[in-house]
Amino acid sequence: MQSRKKIRTKTSLRVLQVCIIILGLIILGRLFQLQILDYDTYNPLSRENSLRQEVINPARGLIYDRNGNLIVDNQPIYTITVTPASYDPKNTPILAELMDVPVEEVEKRVQEARDYSYYRSSRIFTEVDFETFSIIQESIWQLPGVGHQIESKRDYPVDSLQASHILGYLREVSKDEYLRTKSYHLGDKTGKSGLEMAYEEQLRGTLGTEYIKINAMGQNLGSYQDGALDESPKKGSDLYTTIDTELQLLAEDLMQGKQGAVVALNPENGAVLSMVSAPEYDIRKLSGRLDKTYWDSINADTTNPLYNRAVSGKQPPGSTFKPLMALMGLELGIITPETEINNPGYYYRGRRYNDLADPGKYDVGKALQESSNTFFFWLMDKIATQKGLDKWHELATSFGLGEHNNIDIPNEVAGTIPDSTFLNRVLGEGKWGIGDQLSLGVGQGFVAVSPLQMALVAAQIGNGGYKVQPHFVSAIRQNDGTMLLTNPKKGKIDWIDPDEIAVVKDGMRRVVTEGSGRYYADLDSVKVAGKTGTAQNPHGQDHGWFISFAPVEDPKIAVAVLVENGGYGSISAAPIASLLIEQYLTGEIDRSYVYNYVKTFEPKKQKTDEEEENIDDQSQGT
C-alpha cells in the first residue's frame, strides 16, 4: 500500500517536472520568437511606448529652365500631425477650437489617421498659417499625441510664368494610393500632371525617420539617443529642362483670350522650347492646400483649362499637311519638281472639289505656295490608286503622325492616320473608296493630329529628314551632384531624299515670301519657311494653323500654332508663330504692330464658297 503511494508520488513529480520543462521550453521559445525572430516587428512597437516615430519628408527636387534659371522652388509650410495611440478623443473640441474648424472635421481626420496607422503620426492639417501653428504649440501640453512638421509647397519664382501644362501640379495621394505602396503616407502629395507626374520618382526623394522621446502627456522630450537611430531624408533630384522662359512668357501672353496651342521645338534634337495650351489654369492656386472653389470652377469651365490641347488635342491639320504630301509624292515617283497639273478651279472625281487657288498650271512649289487643293487632291488620287492607302499611311506615320512620340509629360495622344484596317472598321469592309480618301490629301477627313505632331513635321522637314524625340528634360541632377543626361532618340527617316526635301523647303519658303504667309510671317532679319492651314470645323468657325521653321538654311526653331475657331491660319496662327521666331532668334520684337494685332485679334466671319471667289489674297488661309 505504501509502495503504491510512493509510486504515485514519483509519477506525479515526474509529470510535474515534465510540465515545468515543457512550460519553460514554451516560454523560452516564445521569448526567442519575440526577441529574435520577430524583433523587427515588435522592437519598433516597444519603442513607441515611450518614443514617437516621426516621418520626415524630403525636399522635393527643383526645376530649372534651359539657361539654369530656377522656375520651380519650395516654400516652407507648417503641418499638424496626430499619433492616434497617444491621442485622447476627449481633446477633439479643444483642437477644433484652436484650428477654428468644426469638431466633425477633426473627428473625420483623426479617424482617417487611425485607419492608416494607430502608432505612427499622420498629417491632419497641412499649410497651417504661422499664427495658428503658434497657438497649437502653446497649447500642446493639453493635446497628447498632437505634433507638427515643417514641410514645403511648390513656389514659382518667375512672376507671371504659368507653364501649367508643362510643370503640372501636386495633390494629396488617395487612400488607395497610400495603401498600395509603402512609398506614401497619409497626407503625402504626388504629381498629378505634367513634369511633376512624369518625373515623380526622381523629384520625390526618400523619406527620413526621427525618433523623439515623449512623456505620458505626449510632450516632446528631445531626440532619442542623440539621433543615433534617425534616418535623414534624401532630397529629390533636380530637373534641368529645355524650356526657354522668355519664349514661354511671350507664347502665354500671345495666347491669352484664345483657345488653342503653341509648340516650339529645337529641330536639331526635339527639345521643347515652349508649349502653351490655352486657356491655362493658375498653377499657383493649386500649389498648396486645395482651393475647392477654384478647383470646382476650372473643372466646370466649358473651355476645359485642365486639358492639354498641345499633346492631347486632335484636329485635322488642313493645308499644313501638304508639305508632307509633297514629300510622299516625290518619293513615290508620282511627281517630279517639274510636274505640272492644270487647276480649273476645282478637282472632279465623281463630284466637284473646290479650290480657292487661282486657275492655272501648278508644279509642286507653286502648289505649296498658293495651297492648291486641286494639285493635292490629284496627288492623293494617284497615291491611293497606284500605291495604296497603306503605303501612304506608312510614309505619314514615319514622321510621327498617328503614333505616340514619347514626350516626357503624360496624356500624349497618337492621333489618326487612317489605313485600310481603320477604314474597314469605321466604314465597313468594301464600303469605302476613292471619295473617302481624297480629303486625306489636304489634311481633312479622318486625319487627326496634335499641335505637337505638326511641330515635329515642321522640325523634321527643317532638319533634313531626321526624326527627333520631343522632350522637356535634358538632364537630372542627383543628390551627389551627378548629372544624368536623358539622351532622347534621333534617327534618319530612311526614305527622305535630300534633293526632294529641298524642293519642299523651297515651296514652304515661297509660302512666306509670296503666298498667304507673307503678310505676317515674313521677317527682314530671318528667313522663315512655313505653311498656313485652315481646318474645317463642323461645329463652328474653322481652326487656324501655321507650321514653320527658321532660319531656312540651318533651322534653330520650329513652331506649330493652332488657334481654335480662329478662321484662316494666315491671319490667326501665322502672326503668333512669327513673333515667337523673331523673339527667339533676335532676342526682341521690332514689329509692335504685329504684336498689337495678335493681342486684339478677333476672328473674321468666314465666307461662303460663292463669296470666296472674290476673296482678297490676305484672307486666303489655306
Side-chain angles (χ1 to χ4, degrees):
M1 190 77 175
Q2 190 173 2
S3 176
R4 288 180 182 177
K5 188 173 181 181
K6 287 180 179 180
I7 292 172
R8 283 199 301 269
T9 301
K10 282 184 178 182
T11 301
S12 298
L13 287 171
R14 287 176 181 173
V15 170
L16 182 60
Q17 289 171 343
V18 169
C19 289
I20 291 172
I21 291 171
I22 292 174
L23 182 60
L25 291 174
I26 291 174
I27 292 172
L28 288 173
R30 181 60 174 160
L31 287 173
F32 179 79
Q33 179 188 11
L34 293 174
Q35 295 292 328
I36 306 299
L37 299 181
D38 292 342
Y39 175 83
D40 292 338
T41 300
Y42 291 103
N43 185 56
L45 295 179
S46 67
R47 285 204 300 265
E48 285 170 357
N49 290 327
S50 58
L51 300 178
R52 176 182 295 150
Q53 182 187 37
E54 295 283 0
V55 174
I56 306 174
N57 282 277
R60 197 168 177 86
L62 309 179
I63 303 179
Y64 297 85
D65 74 358
R66 68 192 297 265
N67 296 312
N69 299 313
L70 185 62
I71 56 176
V72 182
D73 197 0
N74 295 313
Q75 176 183 344
I77 58 173
Y78 300 103
T79 296
I80 303 302
T81 65
V82 67
T83 306
S86 306
Y87 181 74
D88 187 347
K90 293 179 181 178
N91 293 327
T92 295
I94 300 174
L95 182 57
E97 182 180 357
L98 295 173
M99 290 298 306
D100 193 23
V101 298
V103 171
E104 295 77 17
E105 182 67 21
V106 176
E107 290 174 341
K108 174 187 173 185
R109 299 190 183 203
V110 171
Q111 185 58 50
E112 287 177 351
R114 186 177 290 113
D115 292 341
Y116 171 69
S117 174
Y118 189 68
Y119 294 100
R120 290 183 175 179
S121 63
S122 296
R123 303 175 186 84
I124 53 173
F125 293 101
T126 60
E127 205 172 342
V128 175
D129 62 81
F130 183 74
E131 182 179 354
T132 302
F133 171 75
S134 300
I135 293 172
I136 294 290
Q137 290 303 102
E138 290 172 1
S139 306
I140 201 72
W141 61 274
Q142 303 180 73
L143 301 168
V146 174
H148 77 276
Q149 293 178 4
I150 299 178
E151 300 182 303
S152 62
K153 72 172 184 177
R154 284 313 215 185
D155 183 52
Y156 305 94
V158 180
D159 290 342
S160 76
L161 178 69
Q162 289 293 338
S164 55
H165 295 96
I166 298 174
L167 301 174
Y169 60 91
L170 305 177
R171 282 274 65 81
E172 284 192 13
V173 295
S174 65
K175 186 174 182 179
D176 288 341
E177 286 174 319
Y178 70 66
L179 290 177
R180 195 166 53 241
T181 172
K182 293 182 178 179
S183 300
Y184 293 107
H185 298 79
L186 182 65
D188 280 354
K189 291 183 178 179
T190 184
K192 288 296 185 180
S193 68
L195 295 176
E196 296 280 18
M197 180 177 180
Y199 289 90
E200 168 67 17
E201 183 177 346
Q202 291 84 356
L203 289 167
R204 177 168 168 72
T206 304
L207 295 171
T209 305
E210 180 182 18
Y211 292 96
I212 300 170
K213 292 184 292 185
I214 58 173
N215 60 19
M217 301 295 292
Q219 293 174 304
N220 188 335
L221 298 180
S223 178
Y224 177 69
Q225 292 186 0
D226 294 325
L229 300 178
D230 296 350
E231 295 181 8
S232 299
K234 295 180 180 178
K235 175 183 171 295
S237 300
D238 298 331
L239 304 184
Y240 284 80
T241 72
T242 60
I243 300 167
D244 186 290
T245 298
E246 293 301 317
L247 193 68
Q248 180 70 21
L249 287 167
L250 177 60
E252 292 176 3
D253 180 36
L254 297 176
M255 290 300 289
Q256 278 186 6
K258 301 175 180 65
Q259 287 183 212
V262 169
V263 179
L265 303 175
N266 181 341
E268 178 63 26
N269 55 22
V272 183
L273 304 172
S274 174
M275 177 182 286
V276 175
S277 174
E280 295 196 271
Y281 57 88
D282 189 344
I283 196 169
R284 289 164 177 79
K285 290 188 177 180
L286 299 182
S287 65
R289 187 190 300 175
L290 180 63
D291 182 337
K292 192 172 186 307
T293 301
Y294 180 70
W295 180 250
D296 290 343
S297 71
I298 58 176
N299 276 280
D301 191 333
T302 56
T303 63
N304 203 354
L306 290 171
Y307 178 61
N308 188 347
R309 290 167 163 82
V311 300
S312 302
K314 294 190 298 181
Q315 299 288 354
S319 293
T320 58
F321 191 73
K322 290 174 180 177
L324 185 51
M325 279 294 298
L327 272 176
M328 290 191 280
L330 291 166
E331 166 62 19
L332 296 173
I334 293 174
I335 58 172
T336 68
E338 294 76 28
T339 301
E340 287 189 332
I341 302 301
N342 182 54
N343 169 26
Y346 60 89
Y347 185 70
Y348 191 85
R349 190 68 148 92
R351 68 175 182 85
R352 285 172 61 111
Y353 294 85
N354 291 333
D355 192 345
L356 298 181
D358 292 335
K361 296 283 189 180
Y362 284 82
D363 61 16
V364 64
K366 185 179 179 182
L368 287 171
Q369 173 189 317
E370 301 299 328
S371 201
S372 170
N373 282 350
T374 297
F375 185 95
F376 291 100
F377 281 137
W378 173 86
L379 180 56
M380 188 66 207
D381 193 341
K382 295 299 182 183
I383 292 176
T385 54
Q386 294 181 16
K387 304 297 181 179
L389 181 63
D390 290 344
K391 184 62 178 179
W392 173 86
H393 169 88
E394 175 190 333
L395 297 181
T397 53
S398 68
F399 262 71
L401 304 181
E403 64 180 19
H404 292 98
N405 290 281
N406 299 316
I407 190 170
D408 49 351
I409 58 174
N411 303 317
E412 179 194 4
V413 298
T416 305
I417 297 294
D419 58 6
S420 59
T421 302
F422 176 88
L423 293 183
N424 284 338
R425 184 175 71 251
V426 174
L427 300 178
E429 192 167 353
K431 295 182 179 181
W432 53 275
I434 192 63
D436 300 299
Q437 299 173 73
L438 285 183
S439 60
L440 305 180
V442 294
Q444 295 287 167
F446 290 108
V447 178
V449 298
S450 68
L452 170 66
Q453 290 175 327
M454 292 313 296
L456 283 170
V457 169
Q460 290 161 173
I461 292 175
N463 69 21
Y466 287 85
K467 189 172 185 179
V468 292
Q469 181 181 346
H471 62 281
F472 284 102
V473 175
S474 57
I476 301 172
R477 183 175 65 186
Q478 298 180 310
N479 273 329
D480 60 2
T482 304
M483 296 291 282
L484 301 177
L485 301 181
T486 54
N487 295 321
K489 297 178 181 178
K490 179 181 180 180
K492 187 75 168 64
I493 302 173
D494 56 14
W495 61 271
I496 293 297
D497 179 271
D499 293 334
E500 293 169 353
I501 208 166
V503 171
V504 173
K505 291 173 74 171
D506 178 67
M508 295 178 71
R509 173 64 179 154
R510 289 165 60 179
V511 170
V512 174
T513 58
E514 304 173 59
S516 58
R518 67 187 182 276
Y519 294 98
Y520 296 109
D522 195 15
L523 302 175
D524 293 334
S525 55
V526 180
K527 289 184 178 180
V528 179
K531 185 70 190 80
T532 57
T534 306
Q536 294 176 4
N537 174 25
H539 307 294
Q541 184 92 327
D542 290 346
H543 304 314
W545 280 95
F546 188 68
I547 63 171
S548 56
F549 55 86
V552 173
E553 304 83 358
D554 184 19
K556 303 298 182 186
I557 184 172
V559 182
V561 178
L562 167 66
V563 180
E564 294 180 9
N565 310 118
Y568 303 111
S570 60
I571 60 175
S572 61
I576 295 172
S578 73
L579 290 170
L580 294 174
I581 291 172
E582 184 179 9
Q583 168 69 38
Y584 185 72
L585 294 180
T586 70
E588 59 183 358
I589 294 175
D590 287 332
R591 302 172 304 150
S592 59
Y593 69 94
V594 179
Y595 175 82
N596 294 333
Y597 167 83
V598 170
K599 292 296 291 181
T600 59
F601 173 77
E602 292 185 8
K604 294 181 179 179
K605 183 179 183 300
Q606 290 173 266
K607 300 179 183 297
T608 64
D609 288 343
E610 292 76 14
E611 292 172 320
E612 288 290 5
E613 294 178 1
N614 299 315
I615 198 169
D616 62 41
D617 288 339
Q618 182 177 354
S619 298
Q620 291 186 18
T622 55

